[in-house]
């Protein structure tokens, strides 16, 4: 009888061993697990020349790199105008690229090796908030996470949002990105945009670049909202109906809206 009990004990210990090892491994891994945002999408080999654009997945569908002759990193709308004008004067193809380029296709790539990338990573401020009206104006390179944070600080939230908080306002408008519910005007963020400032190329007589201000009643506003980035660089976006409600990080619907 004693040897039978010893045998059962031994077999129980041996069956517990793999589970204990698995738990130990899990503990070790969980201590090391951490998350960090992807690196900036634009990197240059020499100063602001010989640059590459990478999306957050690390590869494009055609499996080739996106290269550009140079890149600009404006911090203000005035610097953005200078960057667009310089590229237009040099007759270079230009595309805007946000801090973390999230589109799988090469939408933000100017094409060829002679183009110019304008990074909007540093155009990332909130310009103004009118909490009573549920209105926010932000720069085009601001990422969704920062917009949600600044809105929350003013007691506001976006009624709908695309699924990843690293996308930029300029980029998500350009692609018509949306959340997942039908409510209010629908789940596409651009439905809530009531004004934009775009820096567009212009003839030499206008200094090669102009700032176009499109208000709620401007006939070009709808076209400019979802433009795949081909009409100019979105400098500022004014959005209304930012709801008064707790903040939500994923595609979501909130119930109480300010009008
Ligand atoms: C056609 C399409 C539809 C998508 N729809 C959804 C969706 O409904 N929901 C969702 O969650 N995700 C969607 N995605 C995936 C992803 O969320 C979007 O691609 C994302 O919103 C893009 O944001 P981004 O800041 O990473 O811009 P990028 O992917 O880097 O750029 C997208 C386009 O926007 C232009 N652009 C970027 N910033 C500016 C600016 N300031 N001014 C002018 N142009 C600019 C770029 O040049 C490029 O043409 C979609 C992707 C694509 C390609």
């Amino acid at each position: 009888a004693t040897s039978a009990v010893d045998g059962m004990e031994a077999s129980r210990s041996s069956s517990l061993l793999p589970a204990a090892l698995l738990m130990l491994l899990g503990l070790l891994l969980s201590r090391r697990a951490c998350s960090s945002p992807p690196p900036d999408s634009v990197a240059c080999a020499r100063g602001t020349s010989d640059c590459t654009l990478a999306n957050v997945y690390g590869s494009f569908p055609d499996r080739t790199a996106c290269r550009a002759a140079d890149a600009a990193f404006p911090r203000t709308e005035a610097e953005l105008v200078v960057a667009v004008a310089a590229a237009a004067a040099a007759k270079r193809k230009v595309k805007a690229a946000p801090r973390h380029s999230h589109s799988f296709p090469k939408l933000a790539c100017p094409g060829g090796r002679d183009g110019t990338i304008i990074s909007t990573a540093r155009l990332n401020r909130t310009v103004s908030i009118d909490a009573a009206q549920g209105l926010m104006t932000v720069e085009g390179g601001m990422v969704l996470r920062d917009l949600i944070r600044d809105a929350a600080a003013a007691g506001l939230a976006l009624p709908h949002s695309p699924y990843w908080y690293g996308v930029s306002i300029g980029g998500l408008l350009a692609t018509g990105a949306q959340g997942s519910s039908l409510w209010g005007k629908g789940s596409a963020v651009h439905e809530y945009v009531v004004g934009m400032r775009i820096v567009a190329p212009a003839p030499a007589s206008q200094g090669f670049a102009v700032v176009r201000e499109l208000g709620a009643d401007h006939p070009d506003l709808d076209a400019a909202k979802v433009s795949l980035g081909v009409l100019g660089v979105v400098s500022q976006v004014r959005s209304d109906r930012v709801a008064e409600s707790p903040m939500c990080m994923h595609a979501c619907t909130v119930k109480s809206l300010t009008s």
Side-chain angles (χ1 to χ4, degrees):
T2 310
S3 72
V5 169
D6 286 349
M8 279 166 66
E9 289 285 329
S11 109
R12 193 180 303 146
S13 326
S14 66
S15 69
L16 285 177
L17 192 62
L21 282 174
L22 266 178
M23 275 177 65
L24 188 65
L25 189 65
L27 273 173
L28 283 173
L29 285 178
S30 69
R31 288 173 79 88
R32 286 175 180 272
C34 56
S35 66
S36 55
D40 280 12
S41 59
V42 184
C44 298
R46 290 175 291 112
T48 54
S49 304
D50 194 3
C51 304
T52 51
L53 170 82
N55 62 14
V56 290
Y57 317 99
S59 92
F60 291 108
D62 65 1
R63 298 180 186 220
T64 65
C66 167
R67 297 195 189 285
D70 58 15
F73 301 84
R75 290 175 181 275
T76 61
E77 189 177 80
E79 289 182 11
L80 178 58
V81 171
V82 170
V84 171
K91 293 189 165 45
R92 285 192 164 155
K93 282 190 187 171
V94 186
K95 285 305 295 260
R99 180 178 296 277
H100 315 294
S101 193
H102 192 237
S103 292
F104 194 44
K106 268 184 169 166
L107 290 180
C109 184
R113 284 176 164 251
D114 303 327
T116 294
I117 300 168
I118 297 187
S119 166
T120 60
R122 293 166 193 177
L123 293 167
N124 60 354
R125 283 166 293 255
T126 291
V127 178
S128 64
I129 299 183
D130 181 342
Q133 295 294 320
L135 279 168
M136 263 182 100
T137 302
V138 301
E139 290 182 330
M142 176 174 261
V143 296
L144 209 46
R145 176 194 55 199
D146 296 345
L147 185 149
I148 289 169
R149 180 201 60 207
D150 286 5
L156 303 170
L158 267 185
H160 301 284
S161 71
Y163 63 90
W164 186 51
Y165 70 9
V167 297
S168 71
I169 303 309
L172 71 85
L173 290 182
T175 55
Q178 61 196 37
S180 64
S181 55
L182 277 177
W183 172 80
K185 291 180 178 178
S187 62
V189 181
H190 62 83
E191 297 291 358
Y192 300 88
V193 168
V194 293
M196 297 173 84
R197 285 171 69 89
I198 294 190
V199 180
S205 58
Q206 294 175 29
F208 291 107
V210 289
V211 180
R212 297 192 66 200
E213 178 140 25
L214 309 176
D217 299 326
H218 198 287
D220 293 345
L221 182 64
D222 280 347
K225 284 180 189 175
V226 189
S227 63
L228 286 176
V230 296
L231 295 183
V233 183
V234 177
S235 169
Q236 290 181 14
V237 175
R238 186 167 171 83
S239 176
D240 87 343
R241 297 212 165 213
V242 186
E244 246 182 43
S245 77
M247 104 181 171
C248 48
M249 299 299 287
H250 300 284
C252 59
T253 301
V254 289
K255 287 191 180 121
S256 60
L257 258 189
T258 53
S259 56

